[in-house]
Amino acid sequence: MQTSKGAAFTVTPTKVTTGSKADMDKSGLQRGKNDDPKIPVYVWATFAHKSGKTMAVGDMDDGLIIRTDKDQRTRALIVLMGQAKWPDCPAFDRDKQLHAGQSENICQVFLIPEGQKAAAVELSQGFTSEPLQWPVKD
């Protein structure tokens, strides 16, 4: 973020779909034996660079959160080693640079406990402000 300090951008969630246990099984992720079962939630969002210095897409996407119907919050899945595969949710280039006026529509994967539903997409605004919320409609 230091290289893009002072830049402004917008985030607009455009589509939220819930995956299945089969998606998890086919993803390539390995679950620890003590981990509770999870299912993926796919969130499509448009990140638009409005003004200021050039920004990496990865500097724009880290504030999104999924809140479940049981009030549990989770951030997007980050795979450190290897690559997880998800249907209709391609990996995006976190290092892609956007200039003012450019935008990128990306999909992110969030893992929520099996049996819960996505209730809202939230955008964190730091510790002093409430997050922005977009309700998820079934």
Side-chain angles (χ1 to χ4, degrees):
M1 264 316 265
Q2 290 302 320
T3 59
S4 57
K5 187 173 182 171
F9 64 96
T10 61
V11 178
T12 308
T14 56
K15 179 179 165 184
V16 178
T17 58
T18 302
S20 66
K21 183 179 177 323
D23 291 348
M24 281 298 294
D25 293 343
K26 294 176 188 174
S27 71
L29 293 178
Q30 293 185 1
R31 185 171 71 116
K33 55 182 160 180
N34 295 330
D35 291 343
D36 291 331
K38 305 253 191 237
I39 57 170
V41 173
Y42 308 109
V43 176
W44 284 89
T46 300
F47 296 87
H49 186 298
K50 294 299 182 184
S51 64
K53 297 177 183 176
T54 301
M55 292 186 75
V57 174
D59 287 345
M60 299 179 196
D61 77 330
D62 65 353
L64 286 180
I65 299 167
I66 283 289
R67 182 175 48 82
T68 71
D69 58 344
K70 304 283 189 220
D71 223 22
Q72 183 172 342
R73 288 175 169 80
T74 186
R75 293 194 180 270
L77 175 68
I78 297 174
V79 179
L80 297 177
M81 301 290 286
Q83 186 76 5
K85 304 256 188 262
W86 306 102
D88 301 321
C89 189
F92 64 95
D93 181 0
R94 295 183 54 81
D95 296 325
K96 182 176 181 177
Q97 299 291 311
L98 297 182
H99 301 281
Q102 293 181 314
S103 64
E104 188 79 7
N105 192 30
I106 66 167
C107 181
Q108 291 181 287
V109 178
F110 297 77
L111 298 181
I112 65 171
E114 193 172 38
Q116 294 187 27
K117 294 181 181 178
V121 177
E122 297 181 345
L123 179 64
S124 172
Q125 298 190 99
F127 296 110
T128 58
S129 299
E130 290 294 316
L132 298 174
Q133 292 187 29
W134 294 268
V136 173
K137 298 176 184 165
D138 285 333

